[in-house]
Amino acid sequence: ELLHSCGHINPPSAVVQCGSNFTAVCVVKEECMDFFHVNANYIYWKTSHFTIPKEQYTIINKTASSVTFTNIGLLNTHLTCNVLTFGQIEQNVYGITIISGFPPEKPKNLDCIVDEGKKMLCHWDPGRETHLETNFTLKSEWATEKFADCKPKHDAPSSCVLDYTIVYFVNIEVWVEAENALGKTKSDHINFDPVDKVKPSAPRNLSVSNSEELSSILKLAWSNPYFKTVARLKYNIQYRTKDASVWSQIPCEDTASTRSSFTVQDLKPFTEYVFRIRCIKADGKGYWSDWSQEASGITYEDRPSKTPSFWYKIEPSHVHAYRSVLLIWKTLPPFKANGKILDFEVTLTRWKSSQLQNYTVNDTKLRVNLTNDRYIATLTARNLVGRSDASVLTIPAFDFQGNLTESKCYLITVTPVYADGPGSSESIKAYLKQAPPSKGPTVRTKKVGKNEAVLEWDQLPVDVQNGFIRNYTIFYRTNVGNETAVNVDSSHTEYTLSSLTSDTLYMVRMAAYTDEGGKDGPEFTFTTPKFAQGEIEAIVVPVCLAFLLTTLLGVLFCFNKRDLIKKHIWPNVPDPSKSHIAQWSPHTPPRHNFSSKNQMYSDGNFTDVSVVEIEANVKKSFPDDLKSLDLFKKEKPSTEGHSSGIGGSSCMSSSRPSISSSDETESAQNTSSTIQYSTVVHSGYRHQVPSVQVFSRSESTQPLLDSEERPEDLQLVDHNADDILPRQQYFKQNCSQQETNPDISHFEQSKQVSSVNEEDFVRLQQQQISNHISQSCGSGQMKMFQEVSAADAFGSGTEGQIERFQTVGMEAAIDEGTPKSYLPQTVRQGGYMPQ
Amino acid sequence: MLACLCTVLWHLPAVPALNRTGDPGPGPSIQKTYDLTRYLEHQLRSLAGTYLNYLGPPFNEPDFNPPRLGAETLPRATVNLEVWRSLNDKLRLTQNYEAYSHLLCYLRGLNRQAATAELRRSLAHFCTSLQGLLGSIAGVMAALGSPLPQPLPGTEPTWAPGPAHSDFLQKMDDFWLLKELQTWLWRSAKDFNRLKKKIQPPAAAVTLHLEAHGF
């Protein structure tokens, strides 16, 4: 053989990453070359037994040749460098091993689990297969301390059991490092408290016990794992019946706290159940324990929940009047028996008698000899706890077929019999032959309206129906009219007749029809009312309201237009009897005494004014006038009609209305009340015939006469006052000089008043009144009072009135430029006029 | 009033205490430490039973209550109630930390002497757990911003069996070590419960603060 080492390959060994390129160089010793008379061209490469194509070779120099692999796949092979000696003999020069693979991937999904009572196991996903020997190291540390590395066992390279006993409640940091020939990497660190990674031991000693009191419960008890002392637990409890394969689970919220027993409810009686339980830390961190060993228990018995299926067979008997009846039934299935059935009890009762026959049977059939009568048979099943409900069966009488009668309602019930017992029965009503009803329905009214009536009736009793009632017919007519018929479905018991005439007598009757005919019931009469309910009220109330409204409007209108009305209805006829003839009074001082303002103010006293008092006469003779004064009177009861009547509006009498009428005034009146003149007025005015005679009688300087004789004066005055001007002038001539002063003062006052409120105004007026009471000219006072009353009567209108009042007064003053300026004010106020 | 309330609501996101998405604070770690002390207490109960049985009578007798002799180096858990109440959080934690540092050293000495393999395992586990408790306390202290006490010089157990100790006295020391450990665990449970209650209601405090702002 040749020399052992004729050359070598560089690198001497190779771990190559898949997908990369790799080049190996074979250097042959020169002496070998010479010996074999070869050069580098004779070098060829082989992997295992395959020669590598020449294209991959590179001749470096005389003794060296290289081979290049590109994009190396997965391989684990020998690469040899060979020399072809003597043209045909293969001579192996050197060989190396090439292994390809991958560097380790970063381990993922590192997690740990603490099996209770064991050490902590951590596992991870090592990632892609490296095809190389890869070492994993599990590292762990506390914040203050490092623990020994954990090396996985060879058979489980991606998990490791830490060899120290884990300490709960101290956070630990864990990670994995992976290393192979191609590289080194490490996983993410995980930091956790081992107590959150615990898989507790399964609960032990699970036991099941039943309760004699309740057949639907089973009590479970178990021993908790030791982990209970470390943390609180919660549980899963599952159960199934013995034969079932699917587990039911008790709601988790019922088992969410540490416990060692549990009562399972809503179970079926006398049924065997299988239970199992597992636990986990109560906050759900960690792992569920394994299931405990299964334990089973049987719920206690309950009384049978269903009656047995029950039927009979009648067999002919040789004995006359008796028959042999075989009663048969089935055993109850376990889920209905609810326990072990001890026996069955059969009771036979003859129809309409109290004769009882009791049998207790262990079998599921019973043969009895019965008479041909009808029998009622009952069957109950009994177990340890109690009896089932009774199953009732009617054994019909022997002669059942013959006795059906016509026009009688029969209820026919058919009960199917299946293999496992009777099914649900169906019933139907039937007649052998129908007939018309033997009685008709009795109809009556439920409610009668003006144009309609609600009729009602009762269903016919079954005894008189004689068939199926198909429909009803209602006949109704008035005393004279034709009969009307209405068909009504048989399901109704009520019908509304409409389009009736009001206040009419109706006769109504009803007939019921079967398939075979009908029968009328008794006739019923009723009268429709004349008016519908509420109709009268609907008419009367609006009429009353309208009337009231009209009246009210009328009154308001009259009140507003009282001036106009007064003018048309009671025109102010000058009353000669009211004429004041100052000169008549022997005590009256000359009129011109009052024409001076200064004198008036300085005196402050009117004791010298002569007043003509005519109260008694006026009162008696003019009752109508009094009425029209009502409003005025209300405001100043103290006037007592002294100013009533046309004459009362005179400036003389107006001194009376003053609230604080003074004694002086009284005395003044008294002194002047004795004038004869009154009698003249009485007769004159009453008949509204101010005759020439009257004038002739008072041949004095009556202003009234003046004014009537001078109608052209009217044109001069403001049109507002045109109709009353005569009296103005009359006043003027009588007491214009007297009035001047009070009126001016009043005018001034009005200016003030316009800026104050109503009450102030009234008060001021009153003060004014009392201030000037003794010196007041009659109409001046009167005017003020009327202002007060107007303020009361029209409220806020007062100020407006006052303003107008002022304006009028001013205009008048401009027009006249004389003491007459007072006149328009009086006119506006209507102080005396509207009376 | 309404406007004021609106303003407060508007600025609500700016209240730093309400933005609790970040660091959960020391609350959870205190809770964990509390749980750990309770767990260790439980663990120690079974360990002590085993160990005292190992020591034999009279140490394993239930009414054995020897005077505290020769165990002066052990940190005392018992403290006057008033003194305990007057401790502040930092001091409380420091005392706990120091005590367990000492006790752990002694316990490791105990470990070396223990006879059976099972007992040794239990002791080793308990030591690890106690180590964990120390780390936890350190964590809480860091979270509360108190510095860790400097490691004492010569932390290696000085409680090695010496010629001065008779066997009985040594057992007595072991007994007292376990007893003191038990007491310390009780006390720590109290300490951390107190701390837990103190730290836990920050949310309520924020609410109150807001109300004061709004009205």
Side-chain angles (χ1 to χ4, degrees):
Chain A
E1 280 293 323
L2 291 171
L3 285 172
H4 179 61
S5 180
C6 210
H8 68 275
I9 296 176
N10 199 17
S13 73
V15 178
V16 186
Q17 186 169 345
C18 286
S20 63
N21 298 337
F22 173 68
T23 301
V25 180
C26 184
V27 181
V28 183
K29 288 181 178 168
E30 276 200 44
E31 55 263 35
C32 286
M33 289 280 189
D34 293 342
F35 182 79
F36 294 119
H37 303 284
V38 294
N39 56 29
N41 283 320
Y42 290 84
I43 295 173
Y44 66 97
W45 297 83
K46 281 177 90 174
T47 54
S48 297
H49 301 291
F50 301 101
T51 307
I52 297 167
K54 289 264 182 191
E55 293 78 33
Q56 289 178 245
Y57 302 168
T58 308
I59 307 298
I60 296 168
N61 57 29
K62 193 182 151 208
T63 60
S65 170
S66 71
V67 66
T68 300
F69 300 91
T70 55
N71 193 14
I72 283 184
L74 202 56
L75 55 89
N76 182 351
T77 188
H78 294 284
L79 176 70
T80 53
C81 170
N82 306 282
V83 179
L84 200 63
T85 56
F86 309 114
Q88 56 192 5
I89 300 167
E90 283 183 18
Q91 197 67 55
N92 186 283
V93 178
Y94 203 82
I96 60 168
T97 303
I98 304 178
I99 303 171
S100 72
F102 296 98
E105 270 192 332
K106 180 178 170 180
K108 282 174 284 194
N109 303 329
L110 172 63
D111 201 2
C112 299
I113 177 170
V114 183
D115 263 318
E116 191 194 341
K118 295 184 187 168
K119 295 182 173 172
M120 185 162 76
L121 168 80
C122 292
H123 52 90
W124 57 91
D125 176 3
R128 177 177 60 183
E129 169 62 53
T130 60
H131 305 285
L132 301 172
E133 188 177 321
T134 306
N135 293 319
F136 291 95
T137 310
L138 182 70
K139 305 215 172 224
S140 57
E141 64 181 32
W142 281 344
T144 54
E145 184 152 340
K146 274 190 162 41
F147 294 106
D149 291 348
C150 181
K151 299 277 186 191
K153 289 187 176 143
H154 195 69
D155 55 347
S158 63
S159 67
C160 193
V161 178
L162 295 160
D163 70 343
Y164 53 90
T165 310
I166 208 71
V167 177
Y168 296 136
F169 305 114
V170 181
N171 274 26
I172 191 168
E173 187 156 307
V174 174
W175 70 97
V176 184
E177 290 181 358
E179 185 174 15
N180 68 9
L182 291 174
K184 185 176 176 179
T185 182
K186 63 178 182 178
S187 71
D188 293 333
H189 292 222
I190 58 169
N191 190 313
F192 59 90
D193 182 344
V195 83
D196 293 334
K197 300 286 181 185
V198 172
K199 179 185 175 188
S201 306
R204 291 160 288 123
N205 307 332
L206 181 63
S207 66
V208 184
S209 59
N210 62 16
S211 154
E212 288 193 17
E213 286 80 35
L214 275 172
S215 58
S216 64
I217 63 166
L218 282 174
K219 292 175 189 164
L220 306 182
W222 63 87
S223 307
N224 277 307
Y226 177 79
F227 188 60
K228 188 195 88 168
T229 59
V230 179
R232 289 181 297 117
L233 298 177
K234 67 177 180 183
Y235 305 87
N236 275 169
I237 298 174
Q238 290 189 340
Y239 64 96
R240 59 177 168 85
T241 56
K242 192 178 190 329
D243 307 323
S245 56
V246 180
W247 292 93
S248 311
Q249 184 158 314
I250 287 159
C252 295
E253 57 268 24
D254 294 345
T255 55
S257 61
T258 310
R259 50 167 67 230
S260 59
S261 66
F262 190 82
T263 301
V264 186
Q265 298 172 334
D266 295 331
L267 302 174
K268 290 180 198 147
F270 200 57
T271 309
E272 183 169 2
Y273 285 93
V274 181
F275 294 89
R276 61 180 187 178
I277 184 173
R278 62 177 183 172
C279 60
I280 193 174
K281 195 159 162 266
D283 58 8
K285 288 176 178 169
Y287 300 87
W288 281 104
S289 73
D290 293 328
W291 287 105
S292 69
Q293 289 207 323
E294 292 175 8
S296 64
I298 302 174
T299 47
Y300 199 70
E301 293 185 32
D302 196 0
R303 76 183 192 101
S305 59
K306 194 168 181 282
T307 59
S309 303
F310 192 22
W311 201 241
Y312 68 89
K313 281 179 187 165
I314 297 175
E315 294 163 352
S317 169
H318 305 296
V319 186
H320 177 65
Y322 279 90
R323 47 189 174 151
S324 174
V325 176
L326 178 66
L327 297 167
I328 46 177
W329 58 90
K330 298 195 163 189
T331 52
L332 284 169
F335 63 91
K336 286 173 179 163
N338 291 342
K340 187 172 179 292
I341 298 295
L342 300 174
D343 50 40
F344 297 94
E345 189 175 281
V346 179
T347 307
L348 284 164
T349 314
R350 206 161 90 186
W351 183 246
K352 288 179 177 169
S353 82
S354 56
Q355 187 190 339
L356 283 175
Q357 293 168 265
N358 282 329
Y359 303 90
T360 303
V361 191
N362 284 323
D363 203 354
T364 57
K365 62 178 184 289
L366 174 67
R367 191 185 301 278
V368 285
N369 275 331
L370 300 176
T371 64
N372 284 339
D373 295 317
R374 186 176 175 183
Y375 279 86
I376 306 291
T378 61
L379 172 73
T380 56
R382 190 173 73 88
N383 67 9
L384 200 62
V385 176
R387 295 179 177 284
S388 69
D389 291 336
S391 184
V392 181
L393 186 67
T394 305
I395 302 166
F398 183 62
D399 57 352
F400 175 68
Q401 291 88 351
N403 273 353
L404 293 180
T405 51
E406 292 182 3
S407 67
K408 281 286 173 208
C409 188
Y410 288 94
L411 184 69
I412 301 169
T413 305
V414 178
T415 308
V417 180
Y418 300 115
D420 62 341
S424 60
S425 52
E426 287 277 339
S427 297
I428 191 168
K429 285 179 182 172
Y431 287 88
L432 193 62
K433 187 172 185 301
Q434 294 188 41
S438 43
K439 264 171 71 181
T442 305
V443 68
R444 57 188 181 274
T445 54
K446 190 180 180 187
K447 203 178 109 188
V448 181
K450 185 181 170 190
N451 296 115
E452 58 173 28
V454 180
L455 303 178
E456 65 170 359
W457 59 92
D458 297 323
Q459 298 277 17
L460 286 176
V462 178
D463 285 347
V464 301
Q465 282 184 5
N466 295 346
F468 298 111
I469 302 295
R470 299 302 182 191
N471 67 316
Y472 297 108
T473 306
I474 299 169
F475 302 96
Y476 65 99
R477 60 188 170 87
T478 60
N479 248 338
V480 291
N482 285 331
E483 190 166 72
T484 314
V486 184
N487 280 330
V488 182
D489 191 82
S490 64
S491 59
H492 296 172
T493 58
E494 203 174 286
Y495 185 78
T496 305
L497 294 179
S498 51
S499 318
L500 300 182
T501 320
S502 62
D503 195 22
T504 311
L505 180 74
Y506 279 93
M507 274 156 281
V508 61
R509 70 192 155 80
M510 234 179 123
Y513 292 91
T514 66
D515 290 337
E516 295 298 317
K519 172 81 175 172
D520 283 355
E523 198 163 56
F524 183 83
T525 52
F526 65 91
T527 309
T528 51
K530 195 161 191 170
F531 298 104
Q533 202 175 6
E535 198 173 85
I536 296 172
E537 288 89 331
I539 295 168
V540 168
V541 170
V543 167
C544 289
L545 284 176
F547 179 75
L548 267 173
L549 199 67
T550 316
T551 313
L552 201 66
L553 285 172
V555 167
L556 277 174
F557 178 80
C558 292
F559 188 77
N560 277 337
K561 299 286 181 185
R562 60 188 187 280
D563 294 3
L564 209 63
I565 294 166
K566 173 76 180 170
K567 180 185 141 193
H568 287 291
I569 300 178
W570 294 285
N572 236 336
V573 181
D575 186 352
S577 68
K578 297 288 172 57
S579 302
H580 297 262
I581 304 159
Q583 286 82 356
W584 280 17
S585 169
H587 307 293
T588 308
R591 262 192 300 180
H592 49 81
N593 284 351
F594 295 93
S595 60
S596 154
K597 261 190 217 174
N598 296 334
Q599 188 181 352
M600 179 165 173
Y601 277 113
S602 58
D603 285 350
N605 188 322
F606 281 78
T607 44
D608 290 348
V609 175
S610 101
V611 177
V612 177
E613 184 59 54
I614 50 166
E615 55 183 9
N617 293 335
V618 171
K619 252 185 181 174
K620 280 179 200 164
S621 49
F622 304 123
D624 290 341
D625 290 344
L626 280 173
K627 270 185 207 165
S628 69
L629 265 174
D630 276 354
L631 183 71
F632 187 61
K633 279 176 73 178
K634 274 178 201 161
E635 292 303 320
K636 23 171 203 170
S638 61
T639 53
E640 288 179 355
H642 288 292
S643 61
S644 63
I646 293 161
S649 63
S650 69
C651 63
M652 294 306 183
S653 61
S654 62
S655 63
R656 288 297 299 259
S658 68
I659 293 163
S660 56
S661 55
S662 65
D663 290 339
E664 288 173 324
T665 321
E666 289 291 335
S667 63
Q669 288 167 351
N670 289 339
T671 54
S672 58
S673 63
T674 54
I675 293 169
Q676 274 180 312
Y677 173 62
S678 57
T679 50
V680 177
V681 177
H682 184 88
S683 55
Y685 187 71
R686 188 176 190 180
H687 305 285
Q688 299 288 317
V689 276
S691 62
V692 178
Q693 283 182 323
V694 176
F695 286 106
S696 66
R697 282 192 61 181
S698 57
E699 302 160 349
S700 64
T701 58
Q702 277 191 44
L704 175 64
L705 300 180
D706 289 347
S707 69
E708 288 195 344
E709 285 166 10
R710 290 188 296 158
E712 63 275 11
D713 282 359
L714 295 172
Q715 316 300 324
L716 300 174
V717 190
D718 183 13
H719 68 276
N720 279 336
D722 56 355
D723 55 340
I724 46 171
L725 187 70
R727 271 130 290 180
Q728 311 277 315
Q729 291 199 325
Y730 159 66
F731 278 128
K732 186 184 108 187
Q733 292 194 357
N734 274 296
C735 59
S736 63
Q737 287 156 328
Q738 296 170 15
E739 285 168 354
T740 305
N741 290 332
D743 224 327
I744 287 167
S745 71
H746 188 80
F747 178 70
E748 287 165 357
Q749 190 188 27
S750 297
K751 278 182 183 173
Q752 295 170 346
V753 164
S754 66
S755 63
V756 297
N757 65 30
E758 218 173 334
E759 283 178 12
D760 290 340
F761 174 61
V762 173
R763 198 179 66 238
L764 279 166
Q765 291 279 39
Q766 288 173 344
Q767 280 175 348
Q768 185 75 11
I769 288 158
S770 53
N771 286 344
H772 295 275
I773 196 71
S774 54
Q775 59 179 1
S776 65
C777 168
S779 73
Q781 286 288 343
M782 167 103 109
K783 180 179 55 118
M784 288 196 283
F785 268 94
Q786 291 210 333
E787 192 69 40
V788 173
S789 71
D792 286 344
F794 297 103
S796 60
T798 311
E799 278 190 17
Q801 278 191 345
I802 293 162
E803 283 176 14
R804 260 159 60 185
F805 169 89
Q806 288 176 342
T807 316
V808 173
M810 295 280 278
E811 283 170 3
I814 292 162
D815 284 347
E816 302 284 327
T818 64
K820 273 185 185 176
S821 65
Y822 160 68
L823 283 175
Q825 295 176 2
T826 315
V827 170
R828 177 60 194 96
Q829 286 238 303
Y832 67 96
M833 210 291 296
Q835 294 172 20
Chain B
M1 181 70 155
L2 193 70
C4 186
L5 202 66
C6 287
T7 317
V8 169
L9 287 176
W10 181 255
H11 289 292
L12 213 56
V15 178
L18 282 183
N19 296 334
R20 303 180 56 116
T21 47
D23 181 29
S29 65
I30 292 171
Q31 174 68 46
K32 244 186 226 304
T33 315
Y34 170 76
D35 289 340
L36 182 56
T37 53
R38 300 297 306 274
Y39 171 53
L40 283 174
E41 219 183 298
H42 192 267
Q43 231 179 322
L44 181 63
R45 221 172 296 151
S46 60
L47 173 70
T50 319
Y51 196 82
L52 292 180
N53 274 335
Y54 158 73
L55 293 181
F59 299 100
N60 58 351
E61 286 164 7
D63 52 352
F64 180 64
N65 194 13
R68 201 169 187 271
L69 289 174
E72 272 69 35
T73 46
L74 283 175
R76 274 179 184 272
T78 44
V79 67
N80 183 291
L81 188 63
E82 288 307 312
V83 174
W84 179 77
R85 276 195 187 139
S86 64
L87 290 175
N88 62 25
D89 296 342
K90 191 180 161 187
L91 211 53
R92 210 179 278 282
L93 287 166
T94 309
Q95 286 189 0
N96 270 281
Y97 187 85
E98 284 174 354
Y100 288 113
S101 304
H102 279 94
L103 289 167
L104 186 60
C105 292
Y106 298 136
L107 203 61
R108 282 182 175 145
L110 208 83
N111 194 2
R112 284 204 288 270
Q113 304 161 22
T116 67
E118 175 58 34
L119 192 52
R120 265 204 299 277
R121 235 189 331 273
S122 293
L123 275 170
H125 183 217
F126 192 77
C127 280
T128 317
S129 301
L130 210 56
Q131 179 82 39
L133 179 61
L134 260 180
S136 270
I137 296 173
V140 173
M141 290 174 80
L144 292 177
S146 21
L148 275 184
Q150 288 303 309
L152 298 154
T155 40
E156 278 305 300
T158 52
W159 205 5
H165 280 82
S166 74
D167 185 49
F168 183 82
L169 283 180
Q170 197 164 337
K171 283 182 176 178
M172 185 75 98
D173 286 346
D174 291 357
F175 176 87
W176 271 108
L177 170 61
L178 292 176
K179 188 158 178 145
E180 207 56 66
L181 248 178
Q182 189 91 62
T183 324
W184 264 109
L185 285 171
W186 287 339
R187 175 175 163 180
S188 297
K190 269 182 170 317
D191 281 339
F192 285 106
N193 197 35
R194 195 184 173 91
L195 200 58
K196 187 174 75 178
K197 283 179 182 159
K198 210 168 155 186
I199 298 293
Q200 249 167 8
V206 168
T207 316
L208 280 175
H209 175 71
L210 267 183
E211 278 172 4
H213 237 251
F215 296 93

